[in-house]
Amino acid sequence: MLDVLHSLLFSTLDAAPALIFAALGAVLSERAGVIAVGMEGMMRVGAFCAAVAALTMPTPLAVVMGMLAGAALAGVHGFLSIRWRSDQVVSGIALNLVALAGGTFLLESLYGPNGTPPIQQLTRWNIPGLSSVPVLGALSGHSAPTYLALLLPFAFQGLLTRTPLGLRLRAVGDKPQAVATLGLSVPGLRWGAVLGSGLLAGLGGAVLSTAVLDRFEQHTPAGLGFMALAAMVFGRWTPVGAFLAATFFAFGNALRIGLVSSAPGLVELIPQGVLLALPYLLTLVVLTLQGQRSSAPAALGTPYEQESR
Amino acid sequence: MHRGELLAVVGENGAGKSSLMNVLYGLYQPDAGVLSLDGQPVRFKSPRDAIARGIGMVHQHFMLVPTLSVAENVVLGREPTRNGLLDLERAVQEVSATCARFGFQLEPRARVDTLSVGSQQKVEIVKALHRGAQVLILDEPTAVLTPQESDELARVMRGLVAQGHTVVLISHKLKEVLGVADRIAVMRRGRCVAEVRAADTTAEQLAALMVGDGQRAPAATSTPAVSQAPGEPLLDVRGLQATGDNGRPALRGVDLEVRAGEIVGIAGVDGNGQRELAEVLTGLRPLTSGSGALLGGPLSGLTPAQARTRGVGHIPEDRLHRAVVKALSVEENVALGRHTRPPFAKGPWIDFKGRRERTRELTVAYDVRPPDPEVALRALSGGNQQKVVVARELDARPRLLVVVQPTRGLDVGAVAQVHAKLREARDQGTGVLLVSLDLEEVLALSDRVYVFFEGRVTGHFLRHEFDERELGRRMLGTTEPGHA
Amino acid sequence: MPERVRQMLPSVLSVLLALGVCWALIALTMEPGTATDAYLQMLWGGIGNWPAYLDGAAATVITRPLGESAMKAAILTLTGLSVAVAFKVGLFNIGAQGQMLLGALAAAVVGAQVSLPGVLHVPAALLGAALAGAAWAGIAGLLRIYRGVHEVISTIMLNWVALSLVDNWLVVGPLRGAAEGGQSITGTAEIQATAVLPRLLGEGSRLNLGFPLALVAALAVWVWLTRTRSGFETRAVGLGAEAARAAGIPVARRMGMAMALAGAMAGLAGAVLVLGTEGRYPGTLGAPYGFDGIAIALIGNNHPLGATVSALFFGVLRAGGTRMQLLGVHKSFPELIQGLALLFVAGRMVWLALLRRRNVAPAASAEVPRA
């Protein structure tokens, strides 16, 4: 029994970071008032660039390249939606389509349909002494992003609630005009948030190809960017909430995979498809019960127009 | 503007008061002219510059983040920190100190969206003072306040002045301006036309300066609007109550009647329930209590569609929001609301020919320029857009026409035309309910006038009883209601 | 009509720019000659190899490619219409993909498990698909109307719910087709012959009834939006909901109806895919035609006929894309062109600023409802 729990926890901690980073990125962007539909595309670009970079450079550096790639795509999003006040959803969807097709095209042209060549995965850290403890031992043996993913949400929550910058970010997502009348730059704050969300999404993608797998595969990230949105909504647009939701979703997934192999009989009763749909169904239920306006940033999706002429 | 005084800037809507103040605060850039502060010319590129020079502004629409606390709102942009972290404790202390110094009662930890409007305004004032504002600009501060809150605000403003601050109060409410200001500047059409000491003037003099004596006088006397004997009652309401957008009662028991073939004016200072009355009568706002008969049906549960079928026409105040869809063409806007009936429809189909012909006729009759039914409405000037609205509503031959601020922002020619059309409709038997903040307009057009104050009727005048002074007193609620 | 031309210009320029950028991409990764050859292949693969035909090749060098293009265009037209119709009422339907999956499933079930005479079977399957799609989209509509849940979020969630439930449960579980000839198959059972969309050109081409169906749907939607009272009401709600309400238009009903119609269009797209090409619901429907619909609609300026033109164009590119593989260019290439074109269309304001015509500049992306 403990073994089962141990392995469940272990695989959750392996799989969750990508989702957690992307969900945090989505929270960052949306709290500043910019809709984050483009997470999937940014993750894909991050995953691809990290995998390609890792062929020629140390993997940790490649992860940084992946993050920068995500931020570059976010830069396009910012250029269109902040600088030119384009519709944020259109811009995000366009980036998703470009990343989807562009990733496939480059992958197939450069490496063929089976993904990039394998790369050196990120080093897994064994925490001495911990690995032998039952259940808790699952904490040991992961790569650096896992530990970062456990700490970052709390740091981010602290940033949002305890620092001047966080206060301004929250304000700019709820009432940008108020921020502007105090002489602060609305575009500046939003640019920062969007680029930050690109870094985080890129990191999430990079983790997929350097820690979870050892290459970029055709379908990466296979909808994780959208699940990150679900985690953000489910976590009521807070970093820790999104973290918990993402972890919960990842745990559910690990449980499902575990059940398929260990208890096929149970899968007959509760079909896999239903379990797969659960994160999204739960998010819909939460939205239905509370209505959306209760926790979404008030100015979400509204381009800010400078008042002065 | 002198240190330590309370200057009021008065003027009608659109006289340029708010634009002037936005320039002072650095939100707009002046096209020409010089701004001087303490004898030195200054140029504010953004609010940041203005704040740095000790200017604070309380906007008409509050610039508060509703989900943040009072203290957070106040310190936003210049947050106290400790080791790089937000020091909320100190923020709370600072805000408490500021509140104490100026005699405000505010709970710094309360979330702003839980506060009353009056308290939110105090937060705005504290926000400005906290930034060291020596000059405080308040833009229409009492528009949203209850009388009690307004009195409180007056005390606050006098207190600030007593402590050496300069307060600029922008308002069109003459009574309160007289009560609180030292000096009064009157603006009209983008110019400052007079500057007087409050002690040396009266509301009547100010009003005359605001509207510009000479040019308005003829409007009031021209074409005496005497109607024939009023016809059947179209609208009869008793004890009407309704809630405003802010959740507070806007109508607190209104009795009124409109008959066929008369123009009934509603006079009152902005925000005393006139707008809500118009919305209730057109089915846009539910009534909370009271009874009424509207064109042979009950008033409660009225939908906009029912109102239209019964024969209610509506010329709303907020044209772009309520009356027209500016991305649609002129002819489509002419059809809007009547698009299910001939000549605009044939069964489930749009009757393009009928619609085109009718629009052509109307653009000619109402002198809409350009007279092109296909052009998008947004390509028309404001005056021509309003002509389209008036044309559409009158063309439907409404039995009752609800009109709100029909000439706001229009040029003189368009105003005269709209007025003529309203009289014409009245003479053809339409009952017209005219809501306007422009008393001159109400008096010029109406056969009867109800005066509104705080959601109640405080006066009822027949045409031969019109007396501006008496009306003005009723509008300010200074006499007991019950004249009618 | 200069106004109409000005409306179209950003889309046309965006597509041209995307074509140019992608050409440069091949030219850089391979060589310029290859890029030009690849584009030619894509063209011949899409509209038929006319030079070969004129040199005396069989007519099938024309009809086959055209048939492939038409099939792709039909599906893209329908999903594009789905997005465009929702836009007209002011809603952003990201959910065409999920609505399409359910439509495809419904068509597969009706096609395989209901026995009807030929004249009725196809219409019944189409109707089932349309209803399934409409119901799925209707959920998002109702959530928006009654709970204020933004349709962008709800349709994204509904997409994944549909994908999980259909592909990972229904198709591999309760609705899985019986094994045939000792071999178990993936997906639902083969549809009956009576439910197959008839081919229009016999064996010379896979062109089937789906193509005229999509064109008729586009025409019908256009007629409805521009010629009927309820279509007018729908547009008025999308362009000014409050003014529409004041004019007595039932705003909530128009929103709900438009969303249902959007879902029905996406459902039909699924039906055309199943009844025309696949013959059953395969293990996974794969191609994200529903997401493509967003690009198709926006490039087509959210106009039903504009979307059709853009679907025809990209249908040709898609069909021709397979031919590019002969030159080592992956067949996903047209999708990249499409994605970039949408990205450039999203920069509509940039185009307008570049074209700098005073009376075009205002109205920040008026064709897109505020999220």
Side-chain angles (χ1 to χ4, degrees):
Chain A
M1 186 61 213
L2 283 183
D3 278 359
V4 173
L5 203 55
H6 177 277
S7 68
L8 262 182
L9 255 177
F10 189 85
S11 44
T12 305
L13 286 173
D14 244 12
L19 187 58
I20 293 172
F21 291 131
L24 292 180
V27 170
L28 178 58
S29 172
E30 298 222 339
R31 283 308 285 261
V34 182
I35 296 177
V37 209
M39 284 293 127
E40 177 87 358
M42 297 179 201
M43 284 182 89
R44 184 166 170 87
V45 168
F48 181 79
C49 290
V52 172
L55 294 171
T56 56
M57 60 176 79
T59 309
L61 202 58
V63 171
V64 174
M65 299 312 281
M67 293 174 70
L68 291 178
L73 208 61
V76 177
H77 184 47
F79 177 75
L80 289 175
S81 65
I82 302 172
R83 169 69 181 82
W84 288 98
R85 304 198 308 272
S86 292
D87 189 275
Q88 296 166 2
V89 179
V90 175
S91 162
I93 295 272
L95 290 178
N96 284 344
L97 290 177
V98 169
L100 184 69
T104 307
F105 173 71
L106 287 177
L107 178 69
E108 301 265 354
S109 317
L110 301 174
Y111 305 104
N114 295 324
T116 58
I119 51 166
Q120 178 77 43
Q121 275 194 317
L122 286 175
T123 326
R124 290 176 175 271
W125 294 351
N126 278 308
I127 302 170
L130 192 63
S131 17
S132 51
V133 184
V135 183
L136 267 186
L139 273 172
S140 175
H142 302 282
S143 50
T146 296
Y147 303 105
L148 181 62
L150 292 177
L151 297 177
L152 194 61
F154 299 94
F156 182 15
Q157 184 90 12
L159 174 94
L160 212 51
T161 55
R162 300 275 163 86
T163 68
L165 183 63
L167 184 67
R168 294 171 187 191
L169 276 175
R170 282 183 287 149
V172 87
D174 269 343
K175 184 119 184 182
Q177 299 85 353
V179 175
T181 53
L182 293 174
L184 300 171
S185 164
V186 173
L189 284 163
R190 289 195 164 169
W191 263 111
V194 167
L195 291 179
S197 81
L199 286 174
L200 282 165
L203 175 60
V207 166
L208 285 176
S209 45
T210 59
V212 178
L213 302 170
D214 62 351
R215 71 189 71 192
F216 175 81
E217 280 193 345
Q218 165 63 295
H219 293 293
T220 308
L224 270 189
F226 291 107
M227 195 188 263
L229 291 183
M232 167 195 74
V233 176
F234 202 71
R236 300 179 135 228
W237 281 270
T238 65
V240 168
F243 160 71
L244 292 175
T247 314
F248 171 63
F249 292 167
F251 179 77
N253 205 35
L255 186 65
R256 181 181 59 80
I257 295 168
L259 284 181
V260 172
S261 56
S262 62
L266 202 59
V267 178
E268 290 291 306
L269 285 177
I270 313 167
Q272 281 214 57
V274 176
L275 293 173
L276 279 169
L278 218 50
Y280 310 106
L281 274 175
L282 284 174
T283 304
L284 278 172
V285 168
V286 166
L287 281 171
T288 310
L289 292 181
Q290 68 179 28
Q292 189 178 8
R293 288 295 152 221
S294 54
S295 44
L300 184 59
T302 323
Y304 175 75
E305 286 188 52
Q306 205 95 34
E307 260 186 273
S308 55
R309 288 169 292 172
Chain B
M1 184 187 302
H2 310 291
R3 188 172 295 279
E5 75 162 359
L6 204 162
L7 171 74
V9 179
V10 300
E12 291 194 301
N13 286 323
K17 299 168 304 212
S18 293
S19 304
L20 174 66
M21 293 308 140
N22 279 329
V23 170
L24 285 186
Y25 192 58
L27 277 173
Y28 292 176
Q29 300 304 314
D31 295 330
V34 183
L35 210 60
S36 298
L37 191 69
D38 290 334
Q40 290 169 356
V42 289
R43 191 172 175 84
F44 298 146
K45 285 201 275 303
S46 84
R48 192 183 275 276
D49 297 342
I51 294 167
R53 300 302 295 262
I55 294 179
M57 180 156 178
V58 175
H59 295 260
Q60 193 172 355
H61 305 287
F62 297 153
M63 295 295 177
L64 297 172
V65 185
T67 49
L68 299 184
S69 72
V70 170
E72 286 171 327
N73 264 290
V74 171
V75 299
L76 184 62
R78 43 161 56 208
E79 303 85 354
T81 53
R82 198 175 51 199
N83 308 327
L85 291 182
L86 188 64
D87 191 347
L88 262 186
E89 271 318 302
R90 215 172 97 210
V92 167
Q93 283 165 17
E94 285 177 10
V95 172
S96 300
T98 311
C99 285
R101 198 169 125 220
F102 296 98
F104 292 158
Q105 305 229 313
L106 281 175
E107 168 51 52
R109 293 171 203 277
R111 251 173 72 133
V112 161
D113 55 6
T114 65
L115 300 181
S116 71
V117 179
S119 298
Q120 291 191 18
Q121 189 165 57
K122 282 184 197 154
V123 178
E124 282 278 24
I125 297 174
V126 170
K127 209 163 94 177
L129 294 173
H130 186 76
R131 287 174 165 68
Q134 288 302 309
V135 179
L136 192 63
I137 306 167
L138 294 122
D139 189 3
E140 300 280 2
T142 57
V144 288
L145 298 187
T146 64
Q148 293 78 6
E149 286 170 338
S150 299
D151 293 345
E152 169 77 20
L153 178 68
R155 271 197 298 282
V156 166
M157 289 190 290
R158 292 308 320 177
L160 290 174
V161 171
Q163 294 195 24
H165 290 269
T166 305
V167 175
V168 181
L169 168 68
I170 301 170
S171 180
H172 60 248
K173 297 190 184 176
L174 301 180
K175 185 189 112 181
E176 69 180 35
V177 162
L178 283 168
V180 71
D182 297 315
R183 220 152 40 89
I184 300 172
V186 182
M187 287 192 72
R188 188 169 71 228
R189 298 193 180 180
R191 290 175 189 285
C192 183
V193 293
E195 247 189 74
V196 291
R197 291 194 55 78
D200 304 339
T201 186
T202 65
E204 284 78 5
Q205 287 171 356
L206 280 179
L209 285 168
M210 265 167 69
V211 298
D213 249 346
Q215 52 178 211
R216 275 307 178 83
T221 52
S222 66
T223 50
V226 181
S227 69
Q228 302 85 343
E232 45 161 345
L234 304 172
L235 169 73
D236 188 2
V237 296
R238 300 275 163 238
L240 184 64
Q241 298 193 15
T243 312
D245 285 335
N246 53 12
R248 287 211 300 257
L251 295 172
R252 309 158 188 248
V254 168
D255 300 343
L256 97 169
E257 186 189 59
V258 179
R259 289 170 172 272
E262 66 172 352
I263 298 180
V264 175
I266 306 290
V269 176
D270 198 5
N272 278 290
Q274 308 98 306
R275 192 167 295 138
E276 287 79 3
L277 173 71
E279 288 173 356
V280 168
L281 297 182
T282 49
L284 291 168
R285 184 180 293 276
L287 54 87
T288 48
S289 144
S291 63
L294 173 77
L295 298 172
L299 189 54
S300 61
L302 183 75
T303 67
Q306 284 170 354
R308 293 211 169 251
T309 348
R310 281 191 212 165
V312 178
H314 185 201
I315 301 178
E317 172 182 27
D318 192 347
R319 180 172 56 235
L320 292 179
H321 189 52
R322 276 259 165 88
V324 294
V325 179
K326 61 182 177 177
L328 291 179
S329 67
V330 170
E331 57 186 351
E332 285 174 316
N333 273 290
V334 165
L336 198 63
R338 296 189 289 156
H339 54 278
T340 56
R341 292 190 289 273
F344 302 100
K346 267 187 203 152
W349 302 95
I350 295 173
D351 183 347
F352 288 95
K353 193 155 157 275
R355 187 172 80 178
R356 176 73 44 91
E357 278 169 8
R358 181 63 68 91
T359 306
R360 281 246 164 76
E361 288 163 27
L362 291 175
T363 50
V364 171
Y366 286 79
D367 190 27
V368 175
R369 281 176 234 182
D372 177 1
E374 282 178 87
V375 75
L377 191 92
R378 71 157 76 90
L380 270 55
S381 70
N384 281 301
Q385 290 178 6
Q386 184 72 343
K387 285 181 194 169
V388 171
V389 176
V390 173
R392 173 182 75 201
E393 296 301 322
L394 289 179
D395 185 47
R397 308 226 158 272
R399 296 172 64 203
L400 176 70
L401 183 62
V402 178
V403 187
V404 186
Q405 296 269 73
T407 56
R408 184 173 166 189
L410 301 192
D411 62 52
V412 184
V415 169
Q417 195 205 353
V418 170
H419 284 178
K421 291 292 178 188
L422 291 179
R423 287 200 184 94
E424 204 179 295
R426 184 265 322 271
D427 293 340
Q428 288 167 4
T430 300
V432 180
L433 185 82
L434 169 69
V435 175
S436 177
L437 301 179
D438 181 351
L439 188 57
E440 300 285 345
E441 180 170 55
V442 172
L443 294 182
L445 287 174
S446 307
D447 300 302
R448 288 189 293 129
V449 169
Y450 290 98
V451 181
F452 268 49
F453 179 69
E454 293 184 359
R456 290 193 183 85
V457 173
T458 53
H460 176 224
F461 299 82
L462 300 178
R463 180 154 192 92
H464 64 86
E465 300 171 324
F466 286 178
D467 172 0
E468 266 189 65
R469 290 184 170 206
E470 184 56 26
L471 255 94
R473 277 196 280 277
R474 302 291 175 116
M475 282 163 65
L476 300 172
T478 46
T479 358
E480 289 307 303
H483 174 87
Chain C
M1 298 189 183
E3 175 64 26
R4 206 159 286 181
V5 170
R6 244 188 336 240
Q7 287 288 319
M8 283 164 46
L9 213 48
S11 291
V12 173
L13 291 174
S14 294
V15 171
L16 289 178
L17 182 61
L19 285 171
V21 167
C22 288
W23 183 87
L25 199 61
I26 308 180
L28 287 176
T29 49
M30 299 177 183
E31 48 190 83
T34 317
T36 310
D37 280 353
Y39 270 45
L40 271 179
Q41 286 299 334
M42 182 159 68
L43 190 65
W44 302 146
I47 63 165
N49 193 343
W50 289 89
Y53 175 65
L54 295 176
D55 282 349
T60 48
V61 297
I62 307 291
T63 52
R64 253 185 235 290
L66 279 179
E68 299 302 310
S69 301
M71 274 167 28
K72 296 247 192 301
I75 297 166
L76 290 175
T77 301
L78 288 168
T79 55
L81 281 176
S82 172
V83 178
V85 163
F87 262 126
K88 286 293 172 192
V89 84
L91 299 176
F92 203 150
N93 180 21
I94 312 273
Q97 182 72 17
Q99 295 145 20
M100 182 180 81
L101 291 191
L102 282 166
L105 185 67
V109 169
V110 175
Q113 314 208 342
V114 180
S115 287
L116 284 169
V119 273
L120 290 180
H121 205 170
V122 166
L126 292 175
L127 185 68
L131 288 178
W136 202 245
I139 298 174
L142 292 177
L143 281 175
R144 167 69 192 253
I145 293 164
Y146 292 108
R147 303 296 302 160
V149 177
H150 201 286
E151 75 279 359
V152 167
I153 282 286
S154 63
T155 50
I156 287 176
M157 298 301 138
L158 285 167
N159 277 341
W160 292 95
V161 173
L163 181 71
S164 310
L165 291 183
V166 175
D167 281 19
N168 294 300
W169 173 36
L170 295 173
V171 172
V172 294
L175 298 177
R176 181 171 188 163
E180 277 172 62
Q183 279 186 318
S184 78
I185 56 164
T186 54
T188 62
E190 198 80 25
I191 57 171
Q192 297 173 25
T194 44
V196 176
L197 288 178
R199 291 203 177 166
L200 302 179
L201 296 179
E203 286 312 300
S205 160
R206 292 209 293 166
L207 175 71
N208 62 42
L209 195 63
F211 184 61
L213 179 78
L215 294 185
V216 167
L219 208 60
V221 166
W222 177 68
V223 166
W224 171 66
L225 280 172
T226 56
R227 314 252 141 183
T228 68
R229 280 161 36 180
S230 61
F232 173 70
E233 292 187 351
T234 304
R235 285 187 295 130
V237 169
L239 294 169
E242 184 57 25
R245 185 173 86 94
I249 293 170
V251 174
R253 195 191 312 160
R254 286 289 158 253
M255 277 192 177
M257 296 285 289
M259 201 63 196
L261 181 61
M265 289 295 149
L268 282 180
V272 169
L273 197 56
V274 163
L275 304 178
T277 320
E278 302 284 351
R280 61 196 165 88
Y281 193 107
T284 172
L285 212 51
Y289 288 115
F291 290 117
D292 293 330
I294 299 170
I296 296 295
L298 286 162
I299 293 170
N301 230 346
N302 291 317
H303 190 289
L305 303 184
T308 308
V309 171
S310 117
L312 288 173
F313 180 78
F314 284 104
V316 166
L317 290 201
R318 291 281 183 99
T322 44
R323 287 280 292 267
M324 291 173 109
Q325 273 180 310
L326 300 175
L327 292 161
V329 179
H330 189 248
K331 67 175 190 298
S332 69
F333 197 72
E335 286 153 56
L336 181 60
I337 299 176
Q338 177 190 296
L340 279 174
L342 175 62
L343 191 64
F344 298 143
V345 167
R348 188 182 171 79
M349 295 301 287
V350 188
W351 286 116
L352 294 178
L354 286 175
L355 299 170
R356 191 75 70 189
R357 292 288 292 264
R358 270 174 159 271
N359 39 359
V360 194
S365 53
E367 81 283 8
V368 168
R370 288 271 65 87

